[in-house]
Every structure is written in C-alpha cells, then in structure tokens.
Amino acid sequence: MAARGFPYTDLKDFLAALERAGELRRVSVPVDPTLEISEVVTRTVRAGGPALLFERPTRGEMPVAINLFGTEKRMAMALGVDSLDEIGERIGALIKPELPVGWSGIREGLGKVMQLKSVPPRKVKTAPCQQVVYRGDDVDLNRLPGLQVWPGDGGIFHNYGLTHTKHPETGKRNLGLYRLQQHGRNTLGMHWQIHKDSTAHHAVAERLGQRLPVAVAIGCDPVVSYAASAPLPSDIDEYLFAGFLRGERVEMVDCLSVPLQVPAHAQIVLEGYLEPGERLPEGPFGDHTGFYTPVEPFPVLHIEAMTMQRDPVYHSIVTSKPPQEDHGLGKATERIFQPLLKLLIPDIVDYDLPAAGVFHNCAIVSIRKRYPKHAQKVMNAIWGAHLMSLTKLIVIVDADCDVHDYNEVAFRAFGNVDYARDLLLTEGPVDHLDHASYQQFWGGKVGVDATRKLPTEGYTRGWPEEMSMSPEVVSLVDKRWKEYGI
C-alpha cells in the first residue's frame, strides 16, 4: 500500500508527510552545524527517534533536514510501502520466469522490470531547482549549512550530494552518492572510491585530456535520494530505477552551465567541472565504519553555477559507527535486491546484512543444503557477485534458521562449526574505506559453514537431532496458560 501523498513531489513534500505521521520534529533554537548537530542527531538515532528539521543552523542560509531514513518505518514511508519487502516481492514477480541464471540474468531482470513499467525520466524546460541562480563570483558554498560531524574531520562536508556524471565516450549517465569536502567558496573535494562508476568516467576523461562535467543535487525527493545509493549494474540507469520505485517518471531539467540533467525538484544544484590531473588532499573524515578515513588525494570540483529553490531545505546525513541513519538505506537495499541476488545465486533462501557490519563486512545467508560443500559453493558465488564481492565474513546456515534472528544465527555459528574444517579462507577486494586490511583495497576473507554436516563431507558421527517440544504439548499449554497463573 502506497503511503499517503506518495510519490512525493520533492523533499519538502516528504517532510510534510513525515510531520503528519508524527515522524518529524522541528528544532527551533539555534544549533551549530559544527559538531553540535551531529551529537544531537546521533543521540536521536540511537533512541529510535524522529527525523529532525533544524530551522536555525548558526551557519548557512537554510534549514537542515536530517535522520530522514533512520528507521525502517521511515525508509518504507520514503519508498511508499508498508514494508521494504514489498518492493523486492514486486521485482521478484516481474522477473519470473524465463530469465537466465547469473549476472546476465540480473541485468536482463532489471531491464525487464524497467521496460514493463515504462518509467524513464521526463525532461522539462523549467524547474523549481532553478528559481534562484548564482554564477561566477556569486557562487558561495557558505550559503549551505554543511556539517562538520566529528572533531577530527578535515573541515565542512556535504554528505548527501547526488553526483551526476556522464561517460565521456558513451554518454552513459551515472548517479552516485559521495561525500564532498568543502575546500573553498566554490570548490569541493570529490571522494569517489575506486570501485565506483564515476571514478571510471573520470579516468576516461583524464585519458582523453578533457574536463569532466559534474552536477551535484542536494535535497531530492526520497526515492531519488535512495536510488543514488543503490548498487545497480552500470548499464541500469538510476533514474529508470527511481521511476519504477515511484510509479511515475522523474522530472529532469538541463543544467545551466554543464551538459548534464538533474532532478527538476531538487532543493539545490551545484554545477561545475573537474580539471584533468588535478588533485587536492581530502579528509580526514569520520565515516560509517566508526573510524576516521585518512587524507588522500582526490579530484576537485570547480563550481561555476549554483541554483536552488526559493526557501530551500538542505539535506544531510551523519556518519558514525552503527547504529546510524544509513541503517534504513542499507536495509532497503538488502530487501529490494534480494530477488536479484537469488536470481544470480538460486541456492540462496534469504540473507541479512547486519548493520553492525556496515552492510558490506558481513553477510548471513541461508540455503537448502543438497550436496557436499554446498555452503562453500555459495560463499564463492557471493564473492563473485558485483559489490557483494567486498564482503569479508559470510556465515552460511540451513534454511530453517531465520537469518534476521541474530541469536539463532549465533547459536548455529557457535555450535555447528568445527573450526578446523568448516572455514574457507581466501583473499579478495575489500571496501575502499576498510582500515583492517594490511593492503588498501584487498585483504583476507572468511566463510563459515554453520550448516548441518553430511556424511559425504567426512562427518561420520551422525548429525544429532535438535530438540523441540511435541506439537500436542505446545497446544495443551497454549490452552491452559491462564490456568497456571504465571
């Protein structure tokens, strides 16, 4: 069932829906975007509290909206559903049957979904995001209440800027979500990581000796904001995906100074370019891993135009060790992409990406085990599955284990494993932000087989039967429960 008012026209429309639902609190007193907002938000997230609208930040010229996706309830509201599983079920129904198993099946499956729904973005000539225009010397990023989230951060960062680029040769668009460090009045550091598509676009532009045009949209409608974070194959357009989730086409408008399009209903748009070969130190930054990422050289965005709505609202996010607001985003991806992961690896019954593992360090996977070393086969398949390849720890359990019940998973992993025989150790790519790997970008991984062992796997003792009460006694106690006076 779609949420009231869905799809939302823009961020302000979504904030109004949150307020009607009792999911938004306005903070009317002055609050400092340097550290103070971060501490308020972190306490609110960990208390399971509401989205926040800081109406009077002490820096910048507009209010700050934050913690929009901090609970699964608000994330579901953002995507217009009662449960995040609904979207995965819709995708699963549309892609069955006939599709090939494997990565080509995922591409064809997503393509079939988008084609069936016919929701490509729609170009418009005028847009709310261009109601106010600043160019040249009038561009000033200090108009924005960018955050310094942690004491050791290298300065002010804009943490929810939706970054648009095009492949210089093919013209293929990419939408990504990257942190942006404010270097000056009109320059930003572009922290796009080695595995990201925009990094590939920039590499091609540099090889050709060309500037790379970039447009950053801040404060988009919540579906577009989510789509920017989704781990889509590079040949699936994020705005096609957003249109599918919205149930209607996303309106886009041409930028004023670069050959790109941006969401017409964004609150703020920054337009500019990257010079080939130019780098500046970026960081440190307190990231979602819970640790500061070090200073590294990254490209520099020179902003030529800054456009916005009248009375815009600035959207940002606080990063820290879990729990934090990105929990809702990570769980949405887990649930939405479940049928696509199962298309790639049909052995999977269900999976869970624990928030404590920041959604890429650990995966819990259930299977219906059918043959020796089936669990190890699934581990290797996951390590070959797009961005799932960054997973450091995979725990495989039997299908009768609820992967979302961490106590039950721990019971299986602690009790069902002979750690001399049931571990698979390997090496491979890890996340750009991983601080534990001895070498940047690659490190060790482990798979834990917590399934029941088979005689054909060398287990000859006869696997014991797990205890459970007889259904008759359970039914009897259910009927007599009030008599016991407990």
Side-chain angles (χ1 to χ4, degrees), residues 263-323:
H265 294 276
Q267 299 293 304
I268 303 144
V269 176
L270 309 175
E271 304 176 8
Y273 60 88
L274 308 179
E275 288 283 5
E278 184 182 17
R279 302 289 191 280
L280 280 179
E282 194 273 355
F285 179 75
D287 221 309
H288 68 283
T289 60
F291 296 88
Y292 290 103
T293 51
V295 175
E296 294 183 88
F298 276 95
V300 181
L301 175 62
H302 296 267
I303 300 167
E304 295 191 318
M306 179 178 184
T307 74
M308 60 185 69
Q309 293 192 22
R310 295 188 189 93
D311 302 317
V313 176
Y314 177 85
H315 178 208
S316 192
I317 190 170
V318 165
T319 53
S320 79
K321 68 179 181 182

Side-chain angles (χ1 to χ4, degrees), residues 234-439:
S234 60
D235 52 355
I236 298 295
D237 186 89
E238 286 84 1
Y239 283 105
L240 202 60
F241 183 57
F244 165 72
L245 295 176
R246 285 169 53 88
E248 68 177 40
R249 297 161 74 180
V250 178
E251 291 187 345
M252 307 286 288
V253 69
D254 287 338
C255 290
L256 301 182
S257 64
V258 292
L260 296 167
Q261 292 183 345
V262 289
H265 294 276
Q267 299 293 304
I268 303 144
V269 176
L270 309 175
E271 304 176 8
Y273 60 88
L274 308 179
E275 288 283 5
E278 184 182 17
R279 302 289 191 280
L280 280 179
E282 194 273 355
F285 179 75
D287 221 309
H288 68 283
T289 60
F291 296 88
Y292 290 103
T293 51
V295 175
E296 294 183 88
F298 276 95
V300 181
L301 175 62
H302 296 267
I303 300 167
E304 295 191 318
M306 179 178 184
T307 74
M308 60 185 69
Q309 293 192 22
R310 295 188 189 93
D311 302 317
V313 176
Y314 177 85
H315 178 208
S316 192
I317 190 170
V318 165
T319 53
S320 79
K321 68 179 181 182
Q324 194 46 268
E325 181 184 347
D326 59 2
H327 169 83
L329 296 165
K331 279 297 167 185
T333 292
E334 175 196 291
R335 295 295 89 200
I336 290 170
F337 284 81
Q338 188 223 40
L340 296 165
L341 186 61
K342 290 172 72 171
L343 182 67
L344 181 63
I345 310 170
D347 315 72
I348 291 176
V349 174
D350 199 0
Y351 79 121
D352 184 278
L353 304 176
V358 296
F359 298 105
H360 54 69
N361 283 340
C362 176
I364 302 165
V365 180
S366 59
I367 64 170
R368 290 188 177 89
K369 187 171 178 178
R370 294 185 290 112
Y371 47 80
K373 301 299 179 182
H374 193 171
Q376 287 78 358
K377 180 253 191 184
V378 172
M379 294 170 194
N380 284 303
I382 291 170
W383 282 320
H386 196 37
L387 289 182
M388 291 292 288
S389 65
L390 304 180
T391 308
K392 296 203 296 183
L393 169 64
I394 300 173
V395 180
I396 307 289
V397 294
D398 288 301
D400 61 353
C401 177
D402 179 359
V403 293
H404 310 296
D405 181 344
Y406 298 155
N407 285 331
E408 178 65 17
V409 172
F411 173 75
R412 307 287 181 111
F414 298 161
N416 282 6
V417 179
D418 179 337
Y419 286 94
R421 293 175 176 266
D422 298 334
L423 299 186
L424 178 60
L425 295 172
T426 187
E427 291 180 332
V430 297
D431 189 80
H432 189 129
L433 304 178
D434 191 289
H435 62 279
S437 59
Y438 282 61
Q439 301 291 328

Side-chain angles (χ1 to χ4, degrees), residues 86-363:
E86 290 179 33
I87 300 171
E89 290 165 3
R90 281 166 51 200
I91 292 175
L94 286 168
I95 62 177
K96 292 178 181 177
E98 305 115 13
L99 289 171
V101 169
W103 188 239
S104 62
I106 284 192
R107 288 198 306 270
E108 290 185 34
L110 273 172
K112 181 180 177 184
V113 168
M114 305 313 165
Q115 185 178 24
L116 285 171
K117 299 302 292 185
S118 188
V119 282
R122 175 173 57 235
K123 181 180 174 182
V124 296
K125 293 183 178 180
T126 60
C129 70
Q130 295 173 348
Q131 289 171 338
V132 179
V133 178
Y134 300 99
R135 295 178 184 265
D137 291 342
D138 291 329
V139 172
D140 187 355
L141 292 171
N142 294 311
R143 299 180 191 277
L144 309 180
L147 304 184
Q148 181 177 345
V149 173
W150 295 103
D153 284 355
I156 294 171
F157 286 81
H158 304 279
N159 294 337
Y160 220 108
L162 278 58
T163 301
H164 301 72
T165 59
K166 274 186 183 178
H167 192 288
E169 294 177 324
T170 68
K172 176 72 177 67
R173 170 172 53 206
N174 183 67
L175 171 65
L177 179 61
Y178 317 111
R179 75 181 192 228
L180 307 164
Q181 182 173 1
Q182 185 169 321
H183 288 320
R185 177 182 57 80
N186 61 355
T187 52
L188 291 171
M190 307 294 297
H191 188 275
W192 45 36
Q193 298 161 26
I194 190 172
H195 305 107
K196 305 298 185 180
D197 292 330
S198 289
T199 308
H201 291 185
H202 186 225
V204 173
E206 289 198 312
R207 176 170 55 80
L208 298 173
Q210 298 175 358
R211 287 178 167 181
L212 182 71
V214 177
V216 177
I218 298 173
C220 296
D221 84 74
V223 173
V224 170
S225 292
Y226 166 69
S229 75
L232 294 169
S234 60
D235 52 355
I236 298 295
D237 186 89
E238 286 84 1
Y239 283 105
L240 202 60
F241 183 57
F244 165 72
L245 295 176
R246 285 169 53 88
E248 68 177 40
R249 297 161 74 180
V250 178
E251 291 187 345
M252 307 286 288
V253 69
D254 287 338
C255 290
L256 301 182
S257 64
V258 292
L260 296 167
Q261 292 183 345
V262 289
H265 294 276
Q267 299 293 304
I268 303 144
V269 176
L270 309 175
E271 304 176 8
Y273 60 88
L274 308 179
E275 288 283 5
E278 184 182 17
R279 302 289 191 280
L280 280 179
E282 194 273 355
F285 179 75
D287 221 309
H288 68 283
T289 60
F291 296 88
Y292 290 103
T293 51
V295 175
E296 294 183 88
F298 276 95
V300 181
L301 175 62
H302 296 267
I303 300 167
E304 295 191 318
M306 179 178 184
T307 74
M308 60 185 69
Q309 293 192 22
R310 295 188 189 93
D311 302 317
V313 176
Y314 177 85
H315 178 208
S316 192
I317 190 170
V318 165
T319 53
S320 79
K321 68 179 181 182
Q324 194 46 268
E325 181 184 347
D326 59 2
H327 169 83
L329 296 165
K331 279 297 167 185
T333 292
E334 175 196 291
R335 295 295 89 200
I336 290 170
F337 284 81
Q338 188 223 40
L340 296 165
L341 186 61
K342 290 172 72 171
L343 182 67
L344 181 63
I345 310 170
D347 315 72
I348 291 176
V349 174
D350 199 0
Y351 79 121
D352 184 278
L353 304 176
V358 296
F359 298 105
H360 54 69
N361 283 340
C362 176

